[in-house]
Amino acid sequence: MADCLFCKIIAGDIPSAKVYEDEYCYAFRDIAPQAPTHILVVSKEHVQNVKEAAELSDAALAAIIRAIGKIAEQEKLEKGFRVVTNCGPDACQSVNHLHFHILGGRQMADQMA
Ligand code: DGP
């Protein structure tokens, strides 16, 4: 999508610290990390958020979930990690391209929000 920040990152038009890539998704370090490990896993196909994720193929959806597990292993998050996806204004979604935050490397707060 022409005016989408994450589409530009996937295309390599904006630099990013890549940690993983396959046919369906691309993962890179968040520019403003909220934990020692903070990675964004984005679908290569542009959909706005998890509500629109039903438009993706089953293969793409499965690949994204598998990628999260692979990245956690790669990043040695043996003690655990949190996966967050913000959807819409109440959730403070700031980039309207489906992405999952992987947060780890420290004890997460008991409360999620
Ligand atoms: P959300 O608020 O859930 O839509 O998350 C968007 C995230 O994207 C936020 O944690 C900051 C990150 N981000 C925004 N712009 C850039 C960028 O140019 N590069 C990288 N690596 N991350 C970005």
Side-chain angles (χ1 to χ4, degrees):
M1 199 190 183
D3 212 22
C4 170
L5 174 66
F6 286 174
C7 285
K8 287 179 186 162
I9 286 178
I10 293 163
D13 297 338
I14 293 176
S16 65
K18 171 176 150 178
V19 299
Y20 177 85
E21 181 173 15
D22 64 29
E23 188 182 343
Y24 298 104
C25 60
Y26 183 81
F28 55 99
R29 296 193 192 280
D30 195 289
I31 203 167
Q34 295 189 31
T37 302
H38 187 169
I39 291 164
L40 301 173
V41 184
V42 311
S43 58
K44 282 194 173 173
E45 187 176 327
H46 181 93
V47 290
Q48 293 224 20
N49 53 41
V50 76
K51 239 171 44 180
E52 288 190 3
E55 294 171 19
L56 298 177
S57 67
D58 290 354
L61 290 169
I64 292 167
I65 300 296
R66 287 204 182 90
I68 290 170
K70 285 179 196 164
I71 292 163
E73 198 170 337
Q74 195 176 297
E75 295 289 316
K76 305 194 187 329
L77 298 174
E78 299 97 350
K79 288 179 76 184
F81 57 95
R82 181 165 284 166
V83 179
V84 173
T85 190
N86 294 320
C87 180
D90 269 8
C92 303
Q93 183 178 8
S94 60
V95 180
N96 290 323
H97 180 129
L98 177 65
H99 57 282
F100 294 86
H101 298 255
I102 300 176
L103 298 149
R106 66 162 163 79
Q107 177 67 54
M108 294 291 129
D110 194 27
Q111 296 263 330
M112 276 192 289

